Amino acid sequence: MPRPQVESSFGVVCDVDGVLPVTHVRRQLGRVGALFNRSPRDRRSVLGMPHLLRHLAHSDLEPEVFYLTAAPELSTDLLAEVLSRNGYPSGAVLPGGDLAPGWLVGQSLGPKRAALERLFEQYPHRRWILLGDDAGPDPELFADFARRHPGRVAVIALREDRLRSTGTPRDGRPSETTVVAAPNAEELLPQLNAALGLQPRPRTAISGWFLTAGERGNEATRLRAWTTNNAVRPLVHGRCYFAALADALAAAGAGDMVLVAGWRADSDELLTDEGPTVAEALASAARRGALVRVLLWRAHLGAFGYHLEQNRAFAADMAAAGVEVLLDQRIRALGSHHQKSVVIRRAGRPADDLAFVGGMDLDRGSRDGVDHHGDPQPDSSDDLYGPTPARHDIQLEVRGPAVREIEDSFRERWDDPAPTTRLPWHVVSDLVHGSPRSASPLPPPAEDPPATGGCAVQLLRTYPRRRPAHPFAPLGERSVARGYAKALRRARRLVYLEDQYLWSVDVARIFAAALRRSPELQLIAVVPRRVDQKVATRAAEMGQLEAMAMVRAAGGDRVQIFDIENEEGRPIYVHAKVCIVDDVWAVVGSNNLNNRSWTHDSELAAAVIDDERDPREPADPGGLGDGARRFARRLRLDLMREHLGLDDDADLLDPDRAAHTVRSRAARLDAWHADDCRGPRPPGRLRRHVLDPRERPPARHRWLTIPAYRLVLDPDGRPLSMRLRRAY
């Protein structure tokens, strides 16, 4: 017996065949074709669909949610579980009935029409919000339903799953039915809100920006969703970070614990001009009674441009001082462990516990300063960057409960029972060098350090799905990608980026969707002048061209991309990985903006939201009630002032004025160079980043270059079903 309904009640029907991992053959073939499409205008994605459904379910309309599918009735429970695991709100599944051959090839119009009619008979007074896509029967199905039930359809919303949508029902339907369409949920949501007269419900800044435990997508981790009451200090430049680390290690002694994770470490790298070296600082802490443990990526041979020899030498130096170093090769093929963190826990002094996390390793070339003359101990010389390459980078110093989270992230890898490598030649090499292949136990973790500040911190990570599986991420973890995607959903005025690469179309697609959804959004990015300091391949430049073309096609002149140089005109290599959205959400970590960092290598980043608001205008740049937060705004302003040579913030607080300021000052410096550097050099370091599309290799070479770029330089570690659906 159907329960009585009031005239104003709403319901949502979402055809989920287009977002499920397994669907009919015709749609899967379409997904395979889209996998190879690199057009900058191809913005199709299912990534934001769970958020769109949750937004509707929790809106003032309070609609009941139904999921329409042509799958047989026996799959109802399985589909409900899949939808819940992917973040969709609870709702009833409407199956297509018995298993029929037509469902396997996408002929599902009849079963879905019958399911919709049954739903209407049960709830005849509801108004319906119909969601689907144009790659199946939805345009015809929804238009027919609206014609037969006038006034009962509030809006039809279609995700354009075809590159050129042809099925949007705009003819042969009642004129009062509103139809909206977009290639992804981010661009579809504002149109839905306008059609339904909805506004986002007020939410606290933390829950609105950070991933919930369920949204992380990894139930096996011991990490909490986030912690509060932390103190976070940005350490811009290697000299600042290394000096802080030297002081922290010098205070480590009996009963303390030092945990280091890195991509590379050089024993002889000085932490300050007077020393000690990295090896001396860690060895001295161990000799004073601290427990020191290090996780390093094993790396490949130097003959291939990597640093196995340096990491092995560091491990040998540390072993002599009683420090256990694992050379960790528990990765996917062609992958790496790229996390960079240091945790120091004080025995009996928890208020002094601290951790460092960000983009810097303990290696040669990283200890540059604000003048950007380079590290006196360079890793190598370079024809573009000079004999002592200048490097711009950022690390965070963290105190408070988040220290325990960074420690737990280290412990999860350390406690992995799998051997550090399974390749036979690695095993032989480890035996020859006496390298440990499994870890000794760590002492039980201490309690959280006490509250010490006003920052909420969320750790974001990347782990690929691999065999044998990581116990702490058996299906992998892509919270870096998910964290960026959620934050960019709230972006309204300004996204500020510093990144080493910015070269993946799949990553750029998320930024492009934000730019198209928010017509006032500005994107300012700082990247290296040349894609890679050591291996500047044409394939990598092609990847960057594709990514930049996508964001520029979406944002036009609202997108500004720069590289930087020091006062002598020598380019500065941008190694930083930072993103700041609307002066609220800031993230610093080891991850770059490419497929490799978002899906394939291990990565670690810390997202920060400060409790303290910055009262200067605009007090709420995004207009969502979050307010400008002190940490995020201060970090953005500090970085922009340095790059622009400014002494105050007056021209940088307002996003539009900041965008105008960087454009005009970079243009003056570019004009000075074009004029053969005559007259006084204009202030600042920003130069417009130029990659000439005409420099693409000839077509006869691209058949090899493009696959090499996607398979070797920027591999994708997602399961195939996620890659096909462009989801994380």
Side-chain angles (χ1 to χ4, degrees):
M1 177 73 64
R3 63 181 184 269
Q5 301 294 317
V6 296
E7 189 68 26
S8 61
S9 63
F10 281 80
V12 174
V13 176
C14 178
D15 186 341
V16 293
D17 283 344
V19 300
L20 292 172
V22 178
T23 186
H24 60 76
V25 175
R26 286 167 51 192
R27 189 182 293 274
Q28 290 288 47
L29 291 175
R31 289 174 174 177
V32 171
L35 190 64
F36 297 97
N37 192 303
R38 316 300 288 185
S39 166
R41 299 187 181 277
D42 184 4
R43 311 188 305 279
R44 295 171 292 172
S45 173
V46 304
L47 185 61
M49 290 302 293
H51 168 72
L52 186 149
L53 266 294
R54 292 196 305 270
H55 168 74
L56 290 176
H58 300 145
S59 70
D60 292 335
L61 301 179
E62 298 183 345
E64 188 172 357
V65 178
F66 300 89
Y67 296 109
L68 183 65
T69 175
E73 191 167 357
L74 58 86
S75 64
T76 299
D77 292 341
L78 176 61
L79 292 180
E81 180 182 346
V82 170
L83 291 168
S84 176
R85 189 167 61 242
N86 283 275
Y88 287 85
S90 60
V93 176
L94 306 176
D98 297 331
L99 181 61
W103 170 72
L104 297 176
V105 294
Q107 295 179 1
S108 57
L109 179 59
K112 289 182 178 179
R113 177 178 289 149
L116 271 183
E117 287 302 317
R118 289 194 300 269
L119 191 64
F120 179 78
E121 291 173 4
Q122 186 175 3
Y123 304 101
H125 300 294
R126 284 191 175 176
R127 298 193 68 204
W128 296 98
I129 303 165
L130 305 180
L131 275 66
D133 60 67
D134 66 357
D138 292 339
E140 181 182 350
L141 173 69
F142 292 165
D144 179 65
F145 185 85
R147 283 194 298 269
R148 285 185 291 109
H149 304 291
R152 293 295 103 198
V153 177
V155 62
I156 296 172
L158 294 174
R159 183 177 54 82
E160 297 169 332
D161 205 37
R162 298 174 180 175
L163 192 57
R164 294 183 179 179
S165 176
T166 57
T168 303
R170 300 195 179 276
D171 297 315
R173 60 170 175 79
S175 59
E176 67 271 12
T177 302
T178 301
V179 179
V180 297
N184 54 70
E186 297 308 305
E187 298 176 55
L188 191 60
L189 183 56
Q191 299 182 56
L192 261 178
N193 283 338
L196 296 169
L198 294 177
Q199 295 293 330
R201 282 189 170 183
R203 303 174 69 185
T204 63
I206 295 178
S207 65
W209 293 83
F210 281 173
L211 299 175
T212 64
E215 289 171 334
R216 180 181 289 274
N218 178 15
E219 297 178 354
T221 182
R222 70 183 72 173
L223 298 187
R224 292 165 283 187
W226 61 77
T227 59
T228 56
N229 301 314
N230 302 286
V232 184
R233 178 168 67 115
L235 304 173
V236 184
H237 312 306
R239 282 183 173 269
C240 184
Y241 166 46
F242 281 10
L245 178 62
D247 290 341
L249 291 175
D256 295 347
M257 184 166 59
V258 180
L259 307 175
V260 181
W263 185 75
R264 172 176 174 169
D266 290 316
S267 297
D268 61 346
E269 171 68 6
L270 292 169
L271 294 180
T272 69
D273 288 335
E274 297 77 26
T277 65
V278 170
E280 289 169 347
L282 292 172
S284 295
R287 294 189 184 101
R288 291 191 298 269
L291 178 72
V292 182
R293 296 290 182 263
V294 182
L295 275 170
L296 281 183
W297 177 42
R298 180 190 180 91
H300 307 306
L301 293 170
F304 299 104
Y306 291 94
H307 48 270
L308 173 60
E309 296 84 357
Q310 289 87 346
N311 282 1
R312 196 178 287 287
F314 174 82
D317 293 340
M318 291 294 92
V323 174
E324 186 175 341
V325 179
L326 289 187
L327 298 182
D328 191 356
Q329 194 70 1
R330 294 170 289 197
I331 57 172
R332 284 175 67 101
L334 303 177
S336 73
H337 282 299
H338 200 239
Q339 297 175 342
K340 295 154 172 118
S341 65
V342 178
V343 177
I344 302 176
R345 299 297 300 265
R346 313 288 194 188
R349 294 176 293 153
D352 294 332
D353 290 350
L354 76 164
F356 302 94
V357 62
M360 281 187 261
D361 266 316
L362 306 180
D363 63 337
R364 281 175 163 261
S366 290
R367 194 170 64 91
D368 196 3
V370 66
D371 54 3
H372 286 304
H373 293 149
D375 187 338
Q377 297 173 275
D379 173 36
S380 63
S381 60
D382 187 272
D383 58 344
L384 178 65
Y385 292 96
T388 56
R391 183 182 295 187
H392 174 72
D393 218 334
I394 304 173
Q395 204 85 349
L396 297 181
E397 178 189 280
V398 181
R399 297 175 183 268
V403 173
R404 169 68 183 274
E405 297 297 291
I406 302 171
E407 176 189 352
D408 279 346
S409 189
F410 179 96
R411 284 176 176 269
E412 285 185 337
R413 278 182 57 194
W414 186 267
D415 294 339
D416 189 338
T420 54
T421 182
R422 296 185 300 166
L423 298 175
W425 52 93
H426 287 175
V427 175
V428 172
S429 177
D430 286 347
L431 292 173
V432 170
H433 290 90
S435 300
R437 292 176 42 75
S438 59
S440 62
L442 290 171
E447 297 295 325
D448 282 0
T452 186
C455 290
V457 175
Q458 178 168 72
L459 291 192
L460 303 173
R461 303 184 303 180
T462 299
Y463 287 111
R465 186 175 185 176
R466 64 178 296 272
R467 293 290 183 267
H470 295 299
F472 50 86
L475 301 178
E477 180 177 323
R478 289 159 292 276
S479 55
V480 165
R482 294 182 176 203
Y484 269 81
K486 183 168 185 176
L488 288 169
R489 282 199 287 266
R490 292 182 72 84
R492 295 297 183 273
R493 297 292 305 283
L494 177 61
V495 174
Y496 178 80
L497 296 172
E498 294 186 355
D499 190 68
Q500 186 180 0
Y501 292 124
L502 188 59
W503 67 359
S504 169
V505 164
D506 290 315
V507 173
R509 188 177 289 114
I510 296 175
F511 289 88
L515 286 161
R516 290 186 181 272
R517 183 206 63 231
S518 300
E520 294 184 337
L521 183 63
Q522 304 276 349
L523 173 64
I524 299 172
V526 180
V527 299
R529 184 163 300 176
R530 194 170 65 191
V531 172
D532 196 304
Q533 183 173 332
K534 295 180 180 178
V535 186
T537 66
R538 282 191 170 184
E541 291 178 350
M542 286 175 60
Q544 194 176 75
L545 276 168
E546 288 179 343
M548 292 182 179
M550 177 162 282
V551 294
R552 283 175 168 148
D557 60 5
R558 292 181 288 130
V559 175
Q560 300 185 71
I561 303 174
F562 303 98
D563 51 57
I564 52 176
E565 64 184 28
N566 63 16
E567 276 65 26
E568 288 76 40
R570 185 153 56 98
I572 300 167
Y573 190 73
V574 177
H575 192 260
K577 304 96 168 53
V578 59
C579 178
I580 303 164
V581 179
D582 284 343
D583 288 350
V584 179
W585 183 86
V587 65
V588 176
S590 65
N591 59 283
N592 294 298
L593 296 179
N594 56 7
N595 270 334
R596 174 179 286 277
S597 282
W598 279 25
T599 68
H600 195 270
D601 293 350
S602 71
E603 304 286 0
L604 178 66
V608 181
I609 296 178
D610 197 347
D611 282 347
E612 185 177 349
R613 302 196 178 206
D614 187 323
R616 293 175 291 178
E617 292 295 334
D620 185 21
L624 299 179
D626 299 309
R629 302 302 172 114
R630 182 176 178 272
F631 177 88
R633 175 169 276 182
R634 178 183 174 186
L635 178 58
R636 176 180 69 84
L637 295 176
D638 286 349
L639 294 171
M640 294 184 76
R641 280 200 317 274
E642 176 188 324
H643 298 328
L644 293 170
L646 292 172
D647 296 324
D648 59 60
D649 303 328
D651 292 331
L652 301 176
L653 285 166
D654 179 77
D656 292 337
R657 188 171 177 183
H660 172 75
T661 300
V662 297
R663 179 181 287 109
S664 60
R665 291 178 81 90
R668 286 199 293 270
L669 186 55
D670 286 338
W672 180 76
H673 277 281
D675 195 32
D676 296 326
C677 305
R678 287 184 289 197
R681 184 183 190 277
R685 296 170 173 172
L686 289 181
R687 301 285 308 279
R688 187 169 64 91
H689 185 66
V690 178
L691 279 177
D692 190 346
R694 293 172 298 181
E695 293 299 316
R696 290 166 61 95
R700 64 181 182 275
H701 295 311
R702 292 204 293 270
W703 68 270
L704 177 62
T705 305
I706 292 174
Y709 153 65
R710 293 175 188 164
L711 294 175
V712 179
L713 290 177
D714 196 27
D716 195 324
R718 288 175 291 180
L720 181 59
S721 65
M722 283 190 178
R723 294 179 62 189
L724 291 173
R725 292 179 295 127
R726 295 179 172 174
Y728 291 92

